[in-house]
Amino acid sequence: MTDSPAARDIDTSRPHSARMYDYYLGGKDHFETDKHAAEAVASVYPGIFVCARENRAFMHRATRVLAREHGIRQWLDIGTGIPTEPNLHQVAQSVVADARVVYADNDPLVLKYAERLMRSTAEGRTAYIEADVNDPQSLLDAPELTDVLDTEQPVALSLNALMHFVPDDRDPYGIVGRLLDVLPSGSALALSHCTPDFDASTWQKVTDIYTGAGTPVQFRSRADVARFFDGLELLDPGVSVGHRWRPDAEPAATDAEVSLWTAVGIKP
């Protein structure tokens, strides 16, 4: 991808996690600096491409389960990333046509392509908020949120491959708790999180690459990921490696390739 007038406010001098993720998924909405950083990650952790695909697949399955089995009709998806079809609203609206989805991200490139996220069914609605998860109150105060979502009714909070970009010194558990506090009983948390549990030395190298590029990360253990679900009722099979959370087919990847803890919990 090259610079264009529409992308002049986008910092191409250093890699961005959303654009690196686009590269892992085989997309085209990234720059050379993102490609180089992503290839550096792949050189130490070739499974990153499998991890990215399995993260996306988990999001699809979790969304369908919440819509079909738990009556969820509303989603707040933070850390949306560059649109990749099918997007969350397309998955949800394929189950329930009137599903409503609010997307949020802080990368100008995601905003540039946000119209892809606005192609809702006639019965449903979508909106996009430019916001940072590190400032949850500004996100919650955004008028687009309550314009699209009825926060008196259950909402699924979708945090896919996001919270490992919030180190402990930024209070990640407090952030998730603040977001869940405003949601009523019956709401849900669907979360995926990269982990060093299966190969600590490799994931330290991945940490060093991201941190060296200006993006602090903290990959967490299964126990630390489970803490995000304190007070929630975990759906079976609990905190599981991404490709093992209600798979559509027999998993082909290894746990070390995926290295992604996933879970869905319901707020009692």
Side-chain angles (χ1 to χ4, degrees), residues 19-26 37-38 41-42 48-49 52-53 210:
R19 303 192 302 259
M20 291 171 66
Y21 185 60
D22 175 74
Y23 180 83
Y24 301 145
L25 289 173
V41 171
I48 189 62
F49 302 103
R53 291 195 300 270
Y210 272 96

Side-chain angles (χ1 to χ4, degrees), residues 58-181:
F58 163 74
M59 181 273 284
H60 294 168
R61 297 195 304 274
T63 299
R64 291 195 298 266
V65 165
L66 288 172
R68 287 174 179 163
E69 301 178 18
H70 296 275
I72 298 290
R73 298 294 181 267
Q74 305 184 107
W75 279 259
L76 173 57
D77 180 66
I78 307 176
T80 297
I82 294 165
T84 302
E85 293 194 356
N87 294 293
L88 189 151
H89 75 280
Q90 293 167 311
V91 176
Q93 291 176 352
S94 71
V95 181
V96 283
D98 61 345
R100 296 182 169 216
V101 179
V102 170
Y103 294 105
D105 207 293
N106 68 338
D107 182 6
L109 189 61
V110 180
L111 176 62
K112 179 176 182 288
Y113 290 110
E115 71 272 9
R116 296 183 192 172
L117 304 174
M118 301 299 110
R119 299 169 186 167
S120 171
T121 59
E123 301 92 336
R125 288 189 65 187
T126 64
Y128 178 81
I129 301 171
E130 188 170 13
D132 190 333
V133 72
N134 292 289
D135 184 7
Q137 193 58 50
S138 67
L139 192 158
L140 294 172
D141 288 342
E144 297 91 342
L145 182 69
T146 51
D147 184 48
V148 172
L149 302 183
D150 177 1
T151 54
E152 299 297 316
Q153 299 298 319
V155 175
L157 175 62
S158 180
L159 303 176
N160 288 299
L162 174 66
M163 296 312 294
H164 46 240
F165 294 111
V166 185
D168 282 348
D169 62 4
R170 296 183 185 174
D171 192 21
Y173 301 104
I175 289 171
V176 174
R178 176 73 187 90
L179 293 166
L180 287 171
D181 281 348

